[in-house]
Amino acid sequence: MTKRNYATVNPCVMCQPMGSALAFKGIEDTMVLYHGSQGCSTYMRLHLAHHFREPVDIASSSLSEKGAVYGGRESLKKGLRNVINRYNPKVIGVATTCLAETIGDDVPAIIREFKEEEGIGEDPKKDIIIIPVSTPSYGESHVSGYIKALDAVVRKFTEKPEEEGSVKIPNGKLNLIPVESLSPADVRELKEILEFIAGDYIFLPDISETFDAPLRDNLPKIAPGGTPLSEIADMSNSLASLGLGIVSKNLALEYLENSCCVPGQSVPIPIGLSNTDRFFTELARVLGCAIPEKYQKERGRLLDAMVDVHKYLYGVKAAVYGDPDLVFSLTTFMLELGMKPVLIATGSKSRDFGTKIRQIVEEIRPDLEPVILDGIDFDSLNDAVNECSPEILIGNSNGKYIAKARDIPLVRVGLPIHDRVGAQRILTVGYRGSLELLDRITNTILEATDTFTAPVQAEPTAYARGTEEECTEGTQ
Ligand code: SF4
């Protein structure tokens, strides 16, 4: 579809280390340090702070020209010492950036050396845990950075010394491990559902407080909240793991299944009717309970709204873009609503993306033949939009220039949303979230076309100021 493939122009993904920050920031008392040049951490701090409207501290080993030539060993050790002195964290996530990977620093070895020098052991109860993740941006995107960081965290906290063997003390809990696309409001909604149905659960990573904190008098150095470390260590004793997202791999869930014998199952992000049904059905199956009446009523309300808005949404041509799993769930919902997704795209390189999207289109609307693209940049997306002529865009705020150029509306979903406030409060998951999204899409279309009020609206002239005689009529 794209006519230019000489270079990436305006990427439709974010840097791989940024994904690791999204995961690490959902863990109790954790600080992130990027091993690389300072600009990487500045850019990613700003990017996340503009989206979540929260201060986002990310340290940097600040590699200089000298470090680039002779290696970043000393810079990384100095960075770690500074982070420990200033933040006193329980965990430090060390993610590499392009420069550190290009010069070939052996980060795990440097960390081992640093711990020996500083007398830091491996006991999470008294020692600082340092977790390295390899995240060069020229390899993959924020999606894989998030997946790798979660995997590294789970491995670190659940691995047991050989002498302890693999004795399990079942805790009866359910692990919930979502993909990277959720907002703090989504996490709060999912936690409320789990609280109501499961009672005991472990949610990893929990960004509900860390990326959307209440105003405090004294700003803590590390935002309170996140998944407690003791709970992460307990994930290997859980009843089962439920992953949210079926396009991207869930390495943490796979590790728990293969190495800790915790059965795992992934379902799509619960956006829309069928995806939310699958989520609740899987919850009920794992926990051996019925779906509570409260959620059956919410489902009924969503269905009612879908019937109400069908006449406005049916056949509306849409383009949707963003992270693979978010796009999958949004596409499913649009198909259920009778919309016509003509262009479905992600900036991530993903072989499974096209397969999964084709499957769901075949299942719900086999008559449609949307253009499906992965690994695209915004330049290619622009070309594709010009060819497919959608009437609405659904995706992050970086698509606003395409929307403006074509004079079509954009419904902002996903990350980043930099040109509006409230991204951290956007709810899209569950029956309630789907209902809110449905209202947003419908009202955006109505605003753009004015079809809702047109048949009954009085002519604007009816409000024109009358003559003096008319105005005084009836006052005598
Ligand atoms: S692309 Fe690489 S060098 Fe550039 S900001 Fe991202 S991690 Fe840093």
Side-chain angles (χ1 to χ4, degrees), residues 130-420:
I130 306 176
I131 305 174
V133 200
S134 170
T135 48
S137 269
Y138 46 73
E140 290 161 281
S141 68
H142 67 288
V143 175
S144 51
Y146 173 93
I147 294 167
K148 285 183 192 173
L150 274 195
D151 181 44
V153 167
V154 170
R155 280 171 191 266
K156 190 75 189 170
F157 280 93
T158 57
E159 71 185 7
K160 290 196 171 61
E162 253 173 42
E163 62 270 21
E164 278 187 29
S166 56
V167 182
K168 274 174 76 103
I169 307 162
N171 59 23
K173 294 180 185 175
L174 176 74
N175 301 328
L176 194 82
I177 311 172
V179 288
E180 71 296 329
S181 306
L182 302 187
S183 70
D186 288 332
V187 175
R188 280 194 288 273
E189 175 74 9
L190 291 167
K191 282 173 68 178
E192 196 185 305
I193 292 170
L194 289 173
E195 202 106 38
F196 199 83
I197 298 183
D200 239 352
Y201 63 90
I202 300 172
F203 197 110
L204 179 77
D206 181 359
I207 57 164
S208 60
E209 296 281 318
T210 53
F211 273 138
D212 190 14
L215 191 67
R216 292 184 171 91
D217 280 346
N218 298 314
L219 191 67
K221 286 191 175 151
I222 297 177
T227 312
L229 305 184
S230 57
E231 289 196 359
I232 303 173
D234 202 22
M235 287 178 94
S236 57
N237 299 317
S238 290
L239 184 68
S241 301
L242 184 58
L244 296 187
I246 55 163
V247 182
S248 300
K249 276 188 171 303
N250 194 326
L251 296 180
L253 179 137
E254 286 178 16
Y255 170 78
L256 286 166
E257 182 160 60
N258 298 333
S259 302
C260 309
C261 302
V262 179
Q265 175 72 35
S266 285
V267 294
I269 303 175
I271 298 174
L273 191 71
S274 58
N275 288 333
T276 310
D277 284 351
R278 274 181 77 177
F279 170 68
F280 274 100
T281 307
E282 192 55 28
L283 271 186
R285 186 190 68 76
V286 172
L287 300 167
C289 62
I291 299 169
E293 196 190 342
K294 169 181 164 151
Y295 295 105
Q296 291 184 25
K297 279 187 181 164
E298 284 187 6
R299 183 181 192 275
R301 276 183 212 111
L302 174 62
L303 260 176
D304 186 42
M306 287 169 73
V307 174
D308 289 346
V309 302
H310 193 251
K311 54 185 175 286
Y312 305 119
L313 299 189
Y314 184 79
V316 173
K317 292 199 290 175
V320 57
Y321 60 91
D323 294 350
D325 274 292
L326 180 64
V327 169
F328 175 85
S329 289
L330 290 171
T331 302
T332 313
F333 195 25
M334 283 193 288
L335 292 166
E336 290 169 345
L337 292 168
M339 294 175 77
K340 200 172 171 190
V342 287
L343 171 61
I344 304 165
T346 180
S348 285
K349 292 188 184 111
S350 163
R351 252 180 302 160
D352 288 345
F353 179 73
T355 314
K356 300 274 185 203
I357 295 284
R358 267 185 285 278
Q359 272 171 6
I360 198 69
V361 172
E362 184 63 27
E363 215 174 278
I364 303 178
R365 289 285 304 274
D367 55 310
L368 298 184
E369 285 182 10
V371 172
I372 303 168
L373 301 171
D374 74 295
I376 51 136
D377 57 15
F378 275 101
D379 206 33
S380 321
L381 185 69
N382 186 44
D383 290 344
V385 165
N386 283 334
E387 287 187 32
C388 297
S389 303
E391 294 157 85
I392 187 168
L393 290 190
I394 300 181
N396 60 54
S397 66
N398 288 346
K400 71 175 178 180
Y401 301 105
I402 298 175
K404 268 189 185 165
R406 289 193 60 85
D407 198 19
I408 54 174
L410 164 67
V411 174
R412 288 163 177 78
V413 189
L415 191 156
I417 296 175
H418 284 167
D419 60 345
R420 295 287 186 275

Side-chain angles (χ1 to χ4, degrees), residues 15-17 37 39-40 43-44 96-99 135-138:
C15 289
Q16 196 169 189
S37 49
C40 305
Y43 144 58
M44 290 180 232
T96 51
T97 66
C98 302
L99 177 57
T135 48
S137 269
Y138 46 73

Side-chain angles (χ1 to χ4, degrees), residues 56-70:
V56 179
D57 282 12
I58 295 176
S60 169
S61 61
S62 300
L63 274 184
S64 60
E65 290 85 348
K66 191 177 157 198
V69 175
Y70 298 107

Side-chain angles (χ1 to χ4, degrees), residues 27-38:
I27 295 160
E28 177 194 29
D29 240 327
T30 296
M31 183 63 190
V32 189
L33 186 153
Y34 287 160
H35 182 37
S37 49
Q38 200 168 15

Side-chain angles (χ1 to χ4, degrees), residues 101-143:
E101 291 285 344
T102 305
I103 61 177
D105 271 351
D106 185 347
V107 175
I110 299 173
I111 291 173
R112 274 198 301 277
E113 210 174 281
F114 173 79
K115 285 168 77 173
E116 269 172 34
E117 288 167 11
E118 302 291 323
I120 299 172
E122 291 290 335
D123 184 352
K125 291 199 182 80
K126 57 181 173 59
D127 292 312
I128 295 167
I129 301 298
I130 306 176
I131 305 174
V133 200
S134 170
T135 48
S137 269
Y138 46 73
E140 290 161 281
S141 68
H142 67 288
V143 175

